[in-house]
Amino acid sequence: MLKAVSLLSDIQERAVSNEDATCEETEEIGEDVEMVGEDEGSQEEPILQLDSVSHGHVLRSVRCAAHTLQLAVDDSLKQASNIIAKARRVAKRLRSQNVVCVLKRMGHKRAIVDCATRWHSTHDMLQRLLELKTFCEDMAPTIPDLHLSESEWEYVSNTVDALKPAKIATKCLQSDQLTAGEFYGVWLKCSLDTEKLASPFARKVAQCIKARQSTLFDNDAFIAAVFLDPRYRLFLTECQTEKEKIHLYRTWEAIQNLEPRNAASGSDVCAAASPTQSQTSSDDEIEHLLMEKERDTSSTQRRPHVSIVSLLDTYSKEARLRRTEDLFQYWARYSVSNPDLYKLAMSVIPLPVTQVSVERAFSSLKFILSPLRSSLNEKVLEDILLVRLNKQYGL
């Protein structure tokens, strides 16, 4: 996906640059274009362009926040690979049949063996191993595979403590409705809680988190969504704020460019539905004048693009919203008093910051489309999946 988006971005950037160059060449040759005959001009092939490119907009990708956090933790775990390998060897020995019988007789829980590609299971394995530390130390003279030095036990304990904030953050990132501002708060809390720990491994985890966060925060779409969240807006620097105002201004231009088309399509539908009425309206000079006045009035009543900049300036000076307040209820108050700013916010804030919803859909699909039910048609399968994924709405 990342490679596909990168290739599309390069293609669109070249198309935008070629379009600008073509416009400049057209202005230079000016009168020469008029000298071209109809036959000669008809031989030119039409150029197919994406609609977004024609307005100067280029496709950009937003990294999955949950996956980025997993990559940061994986980077840090590479520094502890030797200790984790020794801990895994001890856990496997504790899972042997004779040791399991002894653990069960003494009332201890069974050891956990992790999956190397899932660091959550590694955290659970190390945490369970700490619970069995006394048992391992008592049985080490009899079973040498259960021996770990005191420094190794301390490292295991520091690893568990350092990974705990990241594990809590991962659980929070799995929520159904997660905005960019809420994610920013979760990421910031994870980073602060990890930095509070004094162990060398915790410092390494914090460094990896900061190194990976640039792929998330250096994105105009993400920063714009945080800017329009009054709960976390103050974390942005002045430079970021001014940059995002420009980005939001361009976003508003893109929204405005779509509106005339919708109006034109609606008028075409009305004309097709009642051709007699459109014909009589065009013949009536008074009706024609009234239609022109109506268009002039609607264009003057429409808020100009510059007003969005002033509205964003006014919004940036408002008081901070408490973290416990609902973001969408806050913006619902603007739907009547300031519909333009509300429309812009509702176009930017719903930015998806994780792919958890997609994974949840795939997980549900796995239980529905089993080998025993492979004859389900597309419509029935889609209806069942819709009901399964929207139980909270009472469907």
Side-chain angles (χ1 to χ4, degrees), residues 97-303:
Q97 188 63 34
N98 56 343
V99 179
V100 169
C101 294
V102 177
L103 287 173
K104 186 176 181 180
R105 196 180 311 121
M106 298 179 64
H108 295 298
K109 295 180 181 180
R110 181 177 295 187
I112 299 174
V113 178
D114 69 327
C115 176
T117 59
R118 303 287 181 179
W119 70 265
H120 270 220
S121 62
T122 303
H123 174 272
D124 296 338
M125 178 189 70
L126 298 178
Q127 189 175 23
R128 181 61 57 84
L129 202 59
L130 288 176
E131 298 175 1
L132 300 175
K133 177 182 177 181
T134 304
F135 176 83
C136 293
E137 291 177 343
D138 294 341
M139 298 297 295
T142 307
I143 308 176
D145 292 340
L146 300 181
H147 174 72
L148 287 178
S149 64
E150 189 62 31
S151 61
E152 291 173 342
W153 281 112
E154 183 179 1
Y155 199 95
V156 170
S157 178
N158 293 335
T159 303
V160 172
D161 294 337
L163 294 180
K164 187 175 180 180
K167 184 177 181 180
I168 296 174
T170 302
K171 296 295 183 182
C172 295
L173 295 179
Q174 295 176 359
S175 58
D176 291 338
Q177 304 294 334
L178 185 71
T179 63
E182 292 170 348
F183 154 72
Y184 191 88
V186 171
W187 184 280
L188 185 61
K189 180 174 175 54
C190 174
S191 179
L192 293 176
D193 291 345
T194 306
E195 289 178 350
K196 291 179 182 178
L197 303 175
S199 63
F201 183 75
R203 289 195 295 268
K204 182 61 180 178
V205 174
Q207 292 175 1
C208 293
I209 290 176
K210 287 185 177 181
R212 287 283 182 176
Q213 73 181 14
S214 60
T215 59
L216 295 171
F217 298 162
D218 295 343
N219 188 291
D220 290 337
F222 176 80
I223 300 298
V226 176
F227 172 74
L228 292 177
D229 192 333
R231 300 171 298 180
Y232 301 97
R233 184 190 65 230
L234 296 179
F235 282 119
L236 301 181
T237 62
E238 184 177 354
C239 180
Q240 287 178 323
T241 301
E242 296 301 323
K243 181 181 178 181
E244 292 315 309
K245 288 180 182 179
I246 299 175
H247 174 75
L248 291 172
Y249 170 76
R250 295 187 60 193
T251 303
W252 178 249
E253 282 186 329
I255 295 174
Q256 292 295 93
N257 288 332
L258 297 176
E259 289 185 351
R261 272 186 216 172
N262 297 333
S265 61
S267 62
D268 294 341
V269 172
C270 295
S274 56
T276 305
Q277 183 180 359
S278 63
Q279 184 177 0
T280 56
S281 299
S282 61
D283 295 337
D284 192 348
E285 295 182 0
I286 298 178
E287 184 67 22
H288 183 67
L289 292 174
L290 289 174
M291 291 175 62
E292 290 184 352
K293 292 292 184 180
E294 184 181 6
R295 285 195 296 267
D296 294 340
T297 304
S298 62
S299 61
T300 55
Q301 289 179 352
R302 182 180 298 171
R303 297 176 184 271

Side-chain angles (χ1 to χ4, degrees), residues 9 50 66 70 100 119 134 140 148 165 177 179 198 229 248 266 290 295 308 333-334 341 345 383-384 387 389:
S9 300
L50 293 175
Q70 312 310 309
V100 169
W119 70 265
T134 304
L148 287 178
Q177 304 294 334
T179 63
D229 192 333
L248 291 172
L290 289 174
R295 285 195 296 267
I308 286 295
R333 298 194 293 266
Y334 283 86
L341 189 58
D383 292 342
I384 296 176
V387 173
L389 294 176

Side-chain angles (χ1 to χ4, degrees), residues 83-101:
I83 299 297
I84 293 176
K86 292 182 180 180
R88 189 178 293 116
R89 172 179 52 82
V90 174
K92 290 181 179 179
R93 190 67 178 89
L94 290 173
R95 296 274 296 187
S96 60
Q97 188 63 34
N98 56 343
V99 179
V100 169
C101 294

